[in-house]
Amino acid sequence: MTETVRTAGTTSEAARGAALVQREEAAGVVRLTLARGDRYNPLSRDMIAALQAELDALQGDATARVVVLAAEGRGFCAGHDLAEMRAHADDPGWQSALFVECNRLMITLTRLPQPVIARVHGIATAAGCQLVSMCDLAVAADTARFALPGVNIGVFCSTPAVGVARSVGRKRAMEMLLTAAPIDAATALDWGLVNRVVSAERLDAEVDELVRGILARPAPVVANGKRAFYAQIDEPLDSAYALAADAMVRDLSAPDAAEGIDAFLEKRSARWPSTPGND
């Protein structure tokens, strides 16, 4: 399939055409790349808006099956743009808008029908660490580092903690928050912040392996399952089971389940009705 490439969003240096997010798509895979590698891809309001626009466009894109979130430069994302935040230190309205927009971006990652895989290299700190935690899956280079260092500059990483604590648990999140000490990729794997750790040379190959596994499954089942997972995960037990049961009823009522069960019983490969080519 022919690969297409375009860019979205620009910095305030629009005259130089500095793109903030690059989009590449081929064979059902959309790769979104944060493109301010010279500054460790900070989540400025412009960057947040550019990435939000890309994610919003994916909501109804049936041709997109998997999203890979990557970054240029020496690191994945260093968090919010501190220079921008400092420039608006006396404007609570601006500050509130920043976090409203960033919170929406993070929640959107969980509400996309497509699985989102973070491809992490270098540093992922503060809101950058949050970004990793809010993706469905994450693959990290063995040289990657993760931190919630806000306390070092007098700004506790409260919003990044929302996603990180849901990945690594309360005690580990509080250690990151209170000490500001970075953790290495092996620790991030052990704590559950990432799924896999590989050498930098194998990073793309490992992401591709996950992508292939997802593409081999029926898209409606994946989308329904992702939606149900996030709907139930923070609910009380009885509500969680009720939501999960409804999701399974939806699956069982669809043609993919009939084909999948028949294929299993007949000891053959499934030919998913909803996903031509996966036979």
Side-chain angles (χ1 to χ4, degrees), residues 5-41:
V5 180
R6 66 180 177 82
T7 58
T10 59
T11 69
S12 57
E13 302 161 320
R16 294 191 298 185
L20 290 178
V21 178
Q22 185 179 70
R23 170 178 171 141
E24 303 167 79
E25 52 187 306
V29 182
V30 175
R31 184 183 178 107
L32 301 178
T33 302
L34 308 182
R36 285 305 308 274
D38 58 317
R39 297 191 58 218
Y40 289 93
N41 305 297

Side-chain angles (χ1 to χ4, degrees), residues 37-257:
D38 58 317
R39 297 191 58 218
Y40 289 93
N41 305 297
L43 290 179
S44 63
R45 287 186 69 179
D46 283 347
M47 176 70 86
I48 291 169
L51 187 52
Q52 183 70 58
E54 290 291 351
L55 297 181
D56 288 345
L58 286 166
Q59 290 278 1
D61 186 350
T63 67
R65 298 281 315 281
V66 184
V67 180
V68 176
L69 183 58
E72 292 183 350
R74 292 179 295 167
F76 181 73
C77 179
H80 289 299
D81 188 328
L82 294 182
E84 181 182 62
M85 294 173 77
R86 186 68 184 90
H88 294 87
D90 298 325
D91 187 348
W94 185 96
Q95 296 167 19
S96 294
L98 167 67
F99 291 109
V100 166
E101 292 159 9
C102 189
N103 293 349
R104 178 180 173 234
L105 172 67
M106 299 298 171
I107 293 169
T108 298
L109 290 166
T110 69
R111 292 181 177 171
L112 280 182
Q114 304 92 345
V116 182
I117 304 172
R119 176 199 181 277
V120 188
H121 72 289
I123 63 168
T125 58
C129 190
Q130 177 187 12
L131 192 59
V132 174
S133 73
M134 295 302 291
C135 291
D136 303 303
L137 301 172
V139 180
D142 54 13
T143 53
R145 296 292 182 271
F146 305 84
L148 299 177
V151 70
N152 285 341
I153 60 168
V155 184
F156 206 76
C157 279
S158 295
T159 50
V162 173
V164 174
R166 282 164 167 75
S167 292
V168 308
R170 295 185 183 188
K171 291 292 191 294
R172 287 165 172 166
M174 284 302 290
E175 180 178 339
M176 295 177 73
L177 289 160
L178 293 171
T179 69
I183 60 172
D184 60 19
T187 303
L189 178 65
D190 181 57
W191 287 7
L193 184 59
V194 302
N195 298 86
R196 300 183 183 184
V197 172
V198 295
S199 66
E201 293 75 18
R202 279 199 46 78
L203 191 52
D204 286 320
E206 201 71 16
V207 170
D208 288 344
E209 182 179 320
L210 283 173
V211 166
R212 285 193 297 272
I214 295 168
L215 291 177
R217 274 69 190 180
V221 175
V222 170
N224 183 42
K226 175 176 172 175
R227 180 172 56 249
F229 177 83
Y230 287 110
Q232 64 82 21
I233 193 65
D234 292 317
E235 288 290 317
L237 203 56
D238 55 350
S239 300
Y241 270 117
L243 288 164
D246 286 343
M248 294 198 73
V249 168
R250 286 195 297 273
D251 279 348
L252 287 165
S253 303
D256 282 322

